[in-house]
Amino acid sequence: MRTAMISTPKRIALTLAAAVAAATLVGVTPAHAQMLCHVQQDTWVYSAPGRTALYLVPAGGGFYLDYWWNAGGWAAGHGVGQADGFIRGLSC
């Protein structure tokens, strides 16, 4: 039984294609993965971590969490009916 050998350029191309496909799938977050959190106190939503304040989510208001921004405890998402932004110190 003889095993087919793949040439080096083809092997590199296949490896790169597999890596690109895997990297693309890692970044995909389905829309149903959002989680609604209610803030305990008035909380500002920022355009980026530590940047301009966009709007205030009042105590008891909701914030849809899209994903966690690990650096410094920032979370990305949006207030109910509001623009996307970042919030800090959110506990759900």
Side-chain angles (χ1 to χ4, degrees), residues 32-60:
H32 66 273
Q34 288 185 344
M35 179 171 54
L36 178 62
C37 299
H38 293 281
V39 297
Q40 302 301 316
Q41 59 188 12
D42 291 349
T43 305
W44 286 101
V45 177
Y46 297 88
S47 60
R51 299 290 179 145
T52 307
L54 298 174
Y55 55 90
L56 182 74
V57 178

PDB file of all heavy atoms in Angstrom, residues 32-60:
ATOM      1  N   HIS A  32     -27.993  35.030  19.512  1.00  0.00           N
ATOM      2  CA  HIS A  32     -28.706  34.531  20.685  1.00  0.00           C
ATOM      3  C   HIS A  32     -27.802  34.374  21.897  1.00  0.00           C
ATOM      4  O   HIS A  32     -28.263  34.027  22.972  1.00  0.00           O
ATOM      5  CB  HIS A  32     -29.406  33.204  20.358  1.00  0.00           C
ATOM      6  CG  HIS A  32     -28.464  32.077  20.067  1.00  0.00           C
ATOM      7  ND1 HIS A  32     -27.965  31.856  18.810  1.00  0.00           N
ATOM      8  CD2 HIS A  32     -27.909  31.155  20.867  1.00  0.00           C
ATOM      9  CE1 HIS A  32     -27.153  30.822  18.842  1.00  0.00           C
ATOM     10  NE2 HIS A  32     -27.086  30.376  20.079  1.00  0.00           N
ATOM     11  N   ALA A  33     -26.500  34.668  21.746  1.00  0.00           N
ATOM     12  CA  ALA A  33     -25.574  34.543  22.867  1.00  0.00           C
ATOM     13  C   ALA A  33     -25.634  35.761  23.789  1.00  0.00           C
ATOM     14  O   ALA A  33     -25.023  35.766  24.833  1.00  0.00           O
ATOM     15  CB  ALA A  33     -24.161  34.352  22.366  1.00  0.00           C
ATOM     16  N   GLN A  34     -26.394  36.800  23.408  1.00  0.00           N
ATOM     17  CA  GLN A  34     -26.504  37.973  24.251  1.00  0.00           C
ATOM     18  C   GLN A  34     -27.196  37.633  25.560  1.00  0.00           C
ATOM     19  O   GLN A  34     -28.074  36.786  25.606  1.00  0.00           O
ATOM     20  CB  GLN A  34     -27.300  39.069  23.559  1.00  0.00           C
ATOM     21  CG  GLN A  34     -26.578  39.728  22.427  1.00  0.00           C
ATOM     22  CD  GLN A  34     -27.386  40.879  21.860  1.00  0.00           C
ATOM     23  OE1 GLN A  34     -28.572  40.991  22.103  1.00  0.00           O
ATOM     24  NE2 GLN A  34     -26.737  41.714  21.094  1.00  0.00           N
ATOM     25  N   MET A  35     -26.782  38.322  26.627  1.00  0.00           N
ATOM     26  CA  MET A  35     -27.376  38.113  27.929  1.00  0.00           C
ATOM     27  C   MET A  35     -27.813  39.472  28.463  1.00  0.00           C
ATOM     28  O   MET A  35     -27.047  40.434  28.411  1.00  0.00           O
ATOM     29  CB  MET A  35     -26.353  37.469  28.867  1.00  0.00           C
ATOM     30  CG  MET A  35     -26.873  37.233  30.243  1.00  0.00           C
ATOM     31  SD  MET A  35     -25.774  36.237  31.289  1.00  0.00           S
ATOM     32  CE  MET A  35     -24.233  37.097  31.199  1.00  0.00           C
ATOM     33  N   LEU A  36     -29.028  39.568  28.968  1.00  0.00           N
ATOM     34  CA  LEU A  36     -29.528  40.810  29.530  1.00  0.00           C
ATOM     35  C   LEU A  36     -29.146  40.874  31.002  1.00  0.00           C
ATOM     36  O   LEU A  36     -29.475  39.988  31.778  1.00  0.00           O
ATOM     37  CB  LEU A  36     -31.043  40.918  29.372  1.00  0.00           C
ATOM     38  CG  LEU A  36     -31.679  42.169  29.979  1.00  0.00           C
ATOM     39  CD1 LEU A  36     -31.150  43.429  29.310  1.00  0.00           C
ATOM     40  CD2 LEU A  36     -33.188  42.097  29.876  1.00  0.00           C
ATOM     41  N   CYS A  37     -28.447  41.943  31.361  1.00  0.00           N
ATOM     42  CA  CYS A  37     -28.057  42.168  32.755  1.00  0.00           C
ATOM     43  C   CYS A  37     -28.749  43.431  33.235  1.00  0.00           C
ATOM     44  O   CYS A  37     -28.951  44.366  32.468  1.00  0.00           O
ATOM     45  CB  CYS A  37     -26.552  42.368  32.860  1.00  0.00           C
ATOM     46  SG  CYS A  37     -25.603  40.961  32.310  1.00  0.00           S
ATOM     47  N   HIS A  38     -29.089  43.472  34.496  1.00  0.00           N
ATOM     48  CA  HIS A  38     -29.679  44.668  35.088  1.00  0.00           C
ATOM     49  C   HIS A  38     -28.644  45.305  36.000  1.00  0.00           C
ATOM     50  O   HIS A  38     -28.066  44.633  36.850  1.00  0.00           O
ATOM     51  CB  HIS A  38     -30.950  44.316  35.872  1.00  0.00           C
ATOM     52  CG  HIS A  38     -32.050  43.845  34.984  1.00  0.00           C
ATOM     53  ND1 HIS A  38     -32.838  44.704  34.257  1.00  0.00           N
ATOM     54  CD2 HIS A  38     -32.472  42.607  34.667  1.00  0.00           C
ATOM     55  CE1 HIS A  38     -33.707  44.015  33.543  1.00  0.00           C
ATOM     56  NE2 HIS A  38     -33.498  42.729  33.781  1.00  0.00           N
ATOM     57  N   VAL A  39     -28.411  46.607  35.807  1.00  0.00           N
ATOM     58  CA  VAL A  39     -27.418  47.315  36.617  1.00  0.00           C
ATOM     59  C   VAL A  39     -28.021  47.671  37.969  1.00  0.00           C
ATOM     60  O   VAL A  39     -29.211  47.947  38.083  1.00  0.00           O
ATOM     61  CB  VAL A  39     -26.880  48.569  35.893  1.00  0.00           C
ATOM     62  CG1 VAL A  39     -26.165  48.177  34.613  1.00  0.00           C
ATOM     63  CG2 VAL A  39     -27.976  49.563  35.593  1.00  0.00           C
ATOM     64  N   GLN A  40     -27.201  47.644  39.005  1.00  0.00           N
ATOM     65  CA  GLN A  40     -27.655  47.924  40.363  1.00  0.00           C
ATOM     66  C   GLN A  40     -27.646  49.418  40.681  1.00  0.00           C
ATOM     67  O   GLN A  40     -28.344  49.865  41.580  1.00  0.00           O
ATOM     68  CB  GLN A  40     -26.762  47.184  41.379  1.00  0.00           C
ATOM     69  CG  GLN A  40     -26.736  45.679  41.171  1.00  0.00           C
ATOM     70  CD  GLN A  40     -28.123  45.061  41.279  1.00  0.00           C
ATOM     71  OE1 GLN A  40     -28.888  45.401  42.172  1.00  0.00           O
ATOM     72  NE2 GLN A  40     -28.457  44.190  40.348  1.00  0.00           N
ATOM     73  N   GLN A  41     -26.839  50.178  39.954  1.00  0.00           N
ATOM     74  CA  GLN A  41     -26.748  51.626  40.167  1.00  0.00           C
ATOM     75  C   GLN A  41     -26.604  52.298  38.811  1.00  0.00           C
ATOM     76  O   GLN A  41     -26.343  51.640  37.810  1.00  0.00           O
ATOM     77  CB  GLN A  41     -25.548  51.956  41.042  1.00  0.00           C
ATOM     78  CG  GLN A  41     -24.226  51.485  40.468  1.00  0.00           C
ATOM     79  CD  GLN A  41     -23.080  51.646  41.458  1.00  0.00           C
ATOM     80  OE1 GLN A  41     -23.304  51.904  42.630  1.00  0.00           O
ATOM     81  NE2 GLN A  41     -21.856  51.500  40.993  1.00  0.00           N
ATOM     82  N   ASP A  42     -26.798  53.617  38.769  1.00  0.00           N
ATOM     83  CA  ASP A  42     -26.615  54.352  37.519  1.00  0.00           C
ATOM     84  C   ASP A  42     -25.227  54.041  36.963  1.00  0.00           C
ATOM     85  O   ASP A  42     -24.227  54.131  37.689  1.00  0.00           O
ATOM     86  CB  ASP A  42     -26.740  55.854  37.768  1.00  0.00           C
ATOM     87  CG  ASP A  42     -28.163  56.266  38.132  1.00  0.00           C
ATOM     88  OD1 ASP A  42     -29.085  55.441  37.993  1.00  0.00           O
ATOM     89  OD2 ASP A  42     -28.347  57.428  38.546  1.00  0.00           O
ATOM     90  N   THR A  43     -25.169  53.633  35.696  1.00  0.00           N
ATOM     91  CA  THR A  43     -23.910  53.175  35.100  1.00  0.00           C
ATOM     92  C   THR A  43     -23.733  53.788  33.716  1.00  0.00           C
ATOM     93  O   THR A  43     -24.632  53.713  32.885  1.00  0.00           O
ATOM     94  CB  THR A  43     -23.909  51.637  34.984  1.00  0.00           C
ATOM     95  OG1 THR A  43     -24.168  51.079  36.279  1.00  0.00           O
ATOM     96  CG2 THR A  43     -22.586  51.126  34.482  1.00  0.00           C
ATOM     97  N   TRP A  44     -22.580  54.402  33.488  1.00  0.00           N
ATOM     98  CA  TRP A  44     -22.275  55.006  32.195  1.00  0.00           C
ATOM     99  C   TRP A  44     -21.815  53.953  31.191  1.00  0.00           C
ATOM    100  O   TRP A  44     -21.120  53.016  31.534  1.00  0.00           O
ATOM    101  CB  TRP A  44     -21.176  56.061  32.338  1.00  0.00           C
ATOM    102  CG  TRP A  44     -21.674  57.314  32.975  1.00  0.00           C
ATOM    103  CD1 TRP A  44     -21.512  57.687  34.272  1.00  0.00           C
ATOM    104  CD2 TRP A  44     -22.439  58.342  32.354  1.00  0.00           C
ATOM    105  NE1 TRP A  44     -22.130  58.884  34.497  1.00  0.00           N
ATOM    106  CE2 TRP A  44     -22.706  59.315  33.331  1.00  0.00           C
ATOM    107  CE3 TRP A  44     -22.931  58.539  31.065  1.00  0.00           C
ATOM    108  CZ2 TRP A  44     -23.431  60.469  33.070  1.00  0.00           C
ATOM    109  CZ3 TRP A  44     -23.653  59.696  30.804  1.00  0.00           C
ATOM    110  CH2 TRP A  44     -23.899  60.634  31.783  1.00  0.00           C
ATOM    111  N   VAL A  45     -22.211  54.161  29.935  1.00  0.00           N
ATOM    112  CA  VAL A  45     -21.760  53.341  28.809  1.00  0.00           C
ATOM    113  C   VAL A  45     -20.829  54.225  27.981  1.00  0.00           C
ATOM    114  O   VAL A  45     -21.161  55.376  27.679  1.00  0.00           O
ATOM    115  CB  VAL A  45     -22.949  52.843  27.961  1.00  0.00           C
ATOM    116  CG1 VAL A  45     -22.451  52.056  26.759  1.00  0.00           C
ATOM    117  CG2 VAL A  45     -23.884  52.001  28.807  1.00  0.00           C
ATOM    118  N   TYR A  46     -19.656  53.681  27.639  1.00  0.00           N
ATOM    119  CA  TYR A  46     -18.617  54.438  26.949  1.00  0.00           C
ATOM    120  C   TYR A  46     -18.427  53.960  25.520  1.00  0.00           C
ATOM    121  O   TYR A  46     -18.693  52.800  25.190  1.00  0.00           O
ATOM    122  CB  TYR A  46     -17.291  54.307  27.708  1.00  0.00           C
ATOM    123  CG  TYR A  46     -17.358  54.889  29.102  1.00  0.00           C
ATOM    124  CD1 TYR A  46     -17.780  54.126  30.181  1.00  0.00           C
ATOM    125  CD2 TYR A  46     -17.008  56.210  29.325  1.00  0.00           C
ATOM    126  CE1 TYR A  46     -17.854  54.666  31.455  1.00  0.00           C
ATOM    127  CE2 TYR A  46     -17.073  56.768  30.595  1.00  0.00           C
ATOM    128  CZ  TYR A  46     -17.502  55.989  31.663  1.00  0.00           C
ATOM    129  OH  TYR A  46     -17.580  56.526  32.913  1.00  0.00           O
ATOM    130  N   SER A  47     -17.879  54.847  24.672  1.00  0.00           N
ATOM    131  CA  SER A  47     -17.626  54.508  23.268  1.00  0.00           C
ATOM    132  C   SER A  47     -16.542  53.451  23.133  1.00  0.00           C
ATOM    133  O   SER A  47     -16.552  52.661  22.197  1.00  0.00           O
ATOM    134  CB  SER A  47     -17.232  55.762  22.484  1.00  0.00           C
ATOM    135  OG  SER A  47     -16.062  56.341  23.034  1.00  0.00           O
ATOM    136  N   ALA A  48     -15.595  53.433  24.042  1.00  0.00           N
ATOM    137  CA  ALA A  48     -14.506  52.452  24.117  1.00  0.00           C
ATOM    138  C   ALA A  48     -14.041  52.457  25.567  1.00  0.00           C
ATOM    139  O   ALA A  48     -14.340  53.406  26.302  1.00  0.00           O
ATOM    140  CB  ALA A  48     -13.365  52.837  23.179  1.00  0.00           C
ATOM    141  N   PRO A  49     -13.332  51.417  26.012  1.00  0.00           N
ATOM    142  CA  PRO A  49     -12.881  51.393  27.407  1.00  0.00           C
ATOM    143  C   PRO A  49     -12.115  52.667  27.782  1.00  0.00           C
ATOM    144  O   PRO A  49     -11.109  53.002  27.168  1.00  0.00           O
ATOM    145  CB  PRO A  49     -11.978  50.161  27.467  1.00  0.00           C
ATOM    146  CG  PRO A  49     -12.549  49.255  26.426  1.00  0.00           C
ATOM    147  CD  PRO A  49     -12.960  50.182  25.313  1.00  0.00           C
ATOM    148  N   GLY A  50     -12.645  53.404  28.756  1.00  0.00           N
ATOM    149  CA  GLY A  50     -11.999  54.614  29.232  1.00  0.00           C
ATOM    150  C   GLY A  50     -12.157  55.832  28.345  1.00  0.00           C
ATOM    151  O   GLY A  50     -11.520  56.852  28.569  1.00  0.00           O
ATOM    152  N   ARG A  51     -13.011  55.768  27.339  1.00  0.00           N
ATOM    153  CA  ARG A  51     -13.174  56.892  26.388  1.00  0.00           C
ATOM    154  C   ARG A  51     -14.419  57.709  26.723  1.00  0.00           C
ATOM    155  O   ARG A  51     -14.853  57.765  27.848  1.00  0.00           O
ATOM    156  CB  ARG A  51     -13.254  56.352  24.948  1.00  0.00           C
ATOM    157  CG  ARG A  51     -12.042  55.606  24.494  1.00  0.00           C
ATOM    158  CD  ARG A  51     -10.879  56.555  24.319  1.00  0.00           C
ATOM    159  NE  ARG A  51      -9.692  55.819  23.897  1.00  0.00           N
ATOM    160  CZ  ARG A  51      -8.812  56.295  23.079  1.00  0.00           C
ATOM    161  NH1 ARG A  51      -8.943  57.505  22.599  1.00  0.00           N
ATOM    162  NH2 ARG A  51      -7.762  55.576  22.760  1.00  0.00           N
ATOM    163  N   THR A  52     -15.051  58.270  25.721  1.00  0.00           N
ATOM    164  CA  THR A  52     -16.182  59.170  25.868  1.00  0.00           C
ATOM    165  C   THR A  52     -17.433  58.463  26.370  1.00  0.00           C
ATOM    166  O   THR A  52     -17.800  57.409  25.858  1.00  0.00           O
ATOM    167  CB  THR A  52     -16.506  59.829  24.495  1.00  0.00           C
ATOM    168  OG1 THR A  52     -15.328  60.415  23.984  1.00  0.00           O
ATOM    169  CG2 THR A  52     -17.598  60.858  24.616  1.00  0.00           C
ATOM    170  N   ALA A  53     -18.108  59.084  27.358  1.00  0.00           N
ATOM    171  CA  ALA A  53     -19.372  58.542  27.858  1.00  0.00           C
ATOM    172  C   ALA A  53     -20.454  58.792  26.811  1.00  0.00           C
ATOM    173  O   ALA A  53     -20.570  59.895  26.275  1.00  0.00           O
ATOM    174  CB  ALA A  53     -19.749  59.208  29.177  1.00  0.00           C
ATOM    175  N   LEU A  54     -21.241  57.755  26.507  1.00  0.00           N
ATOM    176  CA  LEU A  54     -22.295  57.869  25.502  1.00  0.00           C
ATOM    177  C   LEU A  54     -23.665  58.119  26.125  1.00  0.00           C
ATOM    178  O   LEU A  54     -24.396  59.006  25.700  1.00  0.00           O
ATOM    179  CB  LEU A  54     -22.364  56.591  24.661  1.00  0.00           C
ATOM    180  CG  LEU A  54     -21.136  56.233  23.847  1.00  0.00           C
ATOM    181  CD1 LEU A  54     -21.314  54.868  23.197  1.00  0.00           C
ATOM    182  CD2 LEU A  54     -20.893  57.293  22.785  1.00  0.00           C
ATOM    183  N   TYR A  55     -24.013  57.320  27.108  1.00  0.00           N
ATOM    184  CA  TYR A  55     -25.310  57.435  27.761  1.00  0.00           C
ATOM    185  C   TYR A  55     -25.280  56.731  29.108  1.00  0.00           C
ATOM    186  O   TYR A  55     -24.359  55.972  29.406  1.00  0.00           O
ATOM    187  CB  TYR A  55     -26.442  56.882  26.882  1.00  0.00           C
ATOM    188  CG  TYR A  55     -26.241  55.459  26.420  1.00  0.00           C
ATOM    189  CD1 TYR A  55     -26.706  54.386  27.171  1.00  0.00           C
ATOM    190  CD2 TYR A  55     -25.598  55.177  25.219  1.00  0.00           C
ATOM    191  CE1 TYR A  55     -26.519  53.073  26.754  1.00  0.00           C
ATOM    192  CE2 TYR A  55     -25.415  53.881  24.785  1.00  0.00           C
ATOM    193  CZ  TYR A  55     -25.877  52.836  25.557  1.00  0.00           C
ATOM    194  OH  TYR A  55     -25.694  51.545  25.142  1.00  0.00           O
ATOM    195  N   LEU A  56     -26.289  56.992  29.914  1.00  0.00           N
ATOM    196  CA  LEU A  56     -26.381  56.441  31.256  1.00  0.00           C
ATOM    197  C   LEU A  56     -27.468  55.378  31.298  1.00  0.00           C
ATOM    198  O   LEU A  56     -28.582  55.610  30.815  1.00  0.00           O
ATOM    199  CB  LEU A  56     -26.721  57.565  32.239  1.00  0.00           C
ATOM    200  CG  LEU A  56     -26.809  57.188  33.706  1.00  0.00           C
ATOM    201  CD1 LEU A  56     -25.408  56.958  34.264  1.00  0.00           C
ATOM    202  CD2 LEU A  56     -27.504  58.285  34.483  1.00  0.00           C
ATOM    203  N   VAL A  57     -27.148  54.213  31.839  1.00  0.00           N
ATOM    204  CA  VAL A  57     -28.156  53.188  32.100  1.00  0.00           C
ATOM    205  C   VAL A  57     -28.578  53.399  33.554  1.00  0.00           C
ATOM    206  O   VAL A  57     -27.752  53.286  34.462  1.00  0.00           O
ATOM    207  CB  VAL A  57     -27.607  51.758  31.894  1.00  0.00           C
ATOM    208  CG1 VAL A  57     -28.667  50.730  32.232  1.00  0.00           C
ATOM    209  CG2 VAL A  57     -27.099  51.566  30.477  1.00  0.00           C
ATOM    210  N   PRO A  58     -29.841  53.744  33.797  1.00  0.00           N
ATOM    211  CA  PRO A  58     -30.271  54.020  35.169  1.00  0.00           C
ATOM    212  C   PRO A  58     -30.330  52.749  36.016  1.00  0.00           C
ATOM    213  O   PRO A  58     -30.435  51.638  35.488  1.00  0.00           O
ATOM    214  CB  PRO A  58     -31.664  54.628  34.989  1.00  0.00           C
ATOM    215  CG  PRO A  58     -32.143  54.094  33.681  1.00  0.00           C
ATOM    216  CD  PRO A  58     -30.932  53.900  32.831  1.00  0.00           C
ATOM    217  N   ALA A  59     -30.253  52.915  37.333  1.00  0.00           N
ATOM    218  CA  ALA A  59     -30.340  51.784  38.262  1.00  0.00           C
ATOM    219  C   ALA A  59     -31.569  50.945  37.932  1.00  0.00           C
ATOM    220  O   ALA A  59     -32.662  51.485  37.716  1.00  0.00           O
ATOM    221  CB  ALA A  59     -30.410  52.286  39.703  1.00  0.00           C
ATOM    222  N   GLY A  60     -31.380  49.644  37.835  1.00  0.00           N
ATOM    223  CA  GLY A  60     -32.455  48.726  37.477  1.00  0.00           C
ATOM    224  C   GLY A  60     -32.641  48.566  35.980  1.00  0.00           C
ATOM    225  O   GLY A  60     -33.395  47.706  35.524  1.00  0.00           O
TER     226      GLY A  60
END
